[in-house]
Amino acid sequence: MTKLFVLIGLPGAGKSTFAQIVRERNKKIKYVSSDELRKEFSEFKDIHSKIFDIMNKRTIDMLRENNNVIYDSTNLERRYRIDLFNQIRMLPLENVKVEAVFIHNGLNQAIEQSNKRKNRDDVSEELIRNMYETMQLPSVNTDCDEIIIPYICNTNNEFNLKYCKIFKNDEDFHKYVKEVDVSLYEKYFDEGARIWLKK
């Protein structure tokens, strides 16, 4: 089975660390990054839709060749994840599983980790806080097939993937989110209530 790993998380959450660990373990896995595409296509770096059109096309081409792919961006807004999920489902791509890799240990930890990163002075605390407000939880069968929570440990400044927890339904995933970040959990259900009231 071919897998697409869609990384979801704030700047500094550990997405690139996860991608690096997986790529070191599996040299054949393909990698697509919005940051790298913005460097490659600098004329489009501020045109979000153009960068993600390129990113999605590359991803789908790699999946067509039966490659597992890591899709690295913040991917905070559900509508973009749904768009990618639907593009894959509409294509004659058999046995592609979309895994949402949710990397989040709370707003404060993301800010703290981001402050430790070198050569990323373009990511301010204010930007992370603003992005946190746009964060929407993944949902099984809406924008992914499963949700993965990776547990990464840091031993002597060396990062290792300890294990991954897999959620096959939203109910169990929401219990996890409530334990890790109750504010995000409450925001998610406030958003759901507003959508329901508009119907």
Side-chain angles (χ1 to χ4, degrees):
M1 177 170 284
T2 306
K3 292 189 177 184
L4 171 61
F5 298 95
V6 179
L7 309 190
I8 302 169
L10 294 167
K15 298 182 301 299
S16 297
T17 300
F18 170 82
Q20 183 181 343
I21 293 168
V22 172
R23 292 170 77 193
E24 284 172 359
R25 287 185 177 185
N26 181 358
K27 304 292 184 189
K28 292 183 179 178
I29 197 164
K30 300 296 182 180
Y31 177 72
V32 186
S33 160
S34 59
D35 286 344
E36 289 185 5
L37 287 175
R38 285 190 176 93
K39 291 174 189 171
E40 184 180 344
F41 297 93
S42 56
E43 68 273 29
F44 303 129
K45 67 176 183 176
D46 297 321
I47 306 173
H48 184 88
S49 59
K50 184 68 176 174
I51 292 297
F52 280 88
D53 282 346
I54 296 167
M55 192 166 176
N56 289 0
K57 184 183 182 313
R58 283 199 181 174
T59 299
I60 288 167
D61 287 346
M62 291 171 181
L63 292 171
R64 277 187 169 131
E65 294 170 0
N66 296 317
N67 293 299
N68 293 328
V69 182
I70 296 173
Y71 187 95
D72 187 0
S73 187
T74 56
N75 295 309
L76 299 177
E77 293 185 53
R78 190 179 300 115
R79 61 187 167 133
Y80 297 113
R81 300 192 305 260
I82 290 173
D83 181 52
L84 176 62
F85 188 65
N86 288 341
Q87 282 184 53
I88 290 166
R89 288 292 167 261
M90 285 189 292
L91 292 168
L93 293 173
E94 293 182 17
N95 298 321
V96 175
K97 183 177 270 192
V98 179
E99 308 273 14
V101 183
F102 187 71
I103 305 175
H104 180 71
N105 292 309
L107 174 61
N108 292 334
Q109 185 163 346
I111 292 169
E112 185 180 322
Q113 287 177 195
S114 183
N115 288 337
K116 292 177 183 175
R117 293 195 301 175
K118 297 174 182 175
N119 304 321
R120 285 309 302 263
D121 54 1
D122 57 320
V123 180
S124 66
E125 179 176 332
E126 182 183 7
L127 176 65
I128 294 173
R129 289 185 182 278
N130 290 339
M131 293 177 82
Y132 177 75
E133 291 304 314
T134 70
M135 182 182 251
Q136 295 174 308
L137 299 179
S139 176
V140 175
N141 297 325
T142 301
D143 55 15
C144 64
D145 295 305
E146 291 179 342
I147 302 167
I148 295 176
I149 309 296
Y151 288 84
I152 299 169
C153 62
N154 182 350
T155 309
N156 300 323
N157 289 325
E158 187 174 316
F159 291 97
N160 290 296
L161 185 60
K162 221 171 163 184
Y163 63 93
C164 290
K165 194 167 188 174
I166 297 173
F167 295 96
K168 297 180 182 291
N169 64 71
D170 289 348
E171 186 179 350
D172 291 338
F173 172 61
H174 293 160
K175 289 175 186 174
Y176 163 82
V177 174
K178 190 174 182 181
E179 290 174 9
V180 172
D181 186 346
V182 71
S183 297
L184 182 61
Y185 171 84
E186 289 171 351
K187 184 166 77 76
Y188 175 82
F189 283 101
D190 284 348
E191 174 199 13
R194 286 196 301 274
I195 291 169
W196 183 81
L197 287 168
K198 285 179 183 176
K199 289 181 180 179

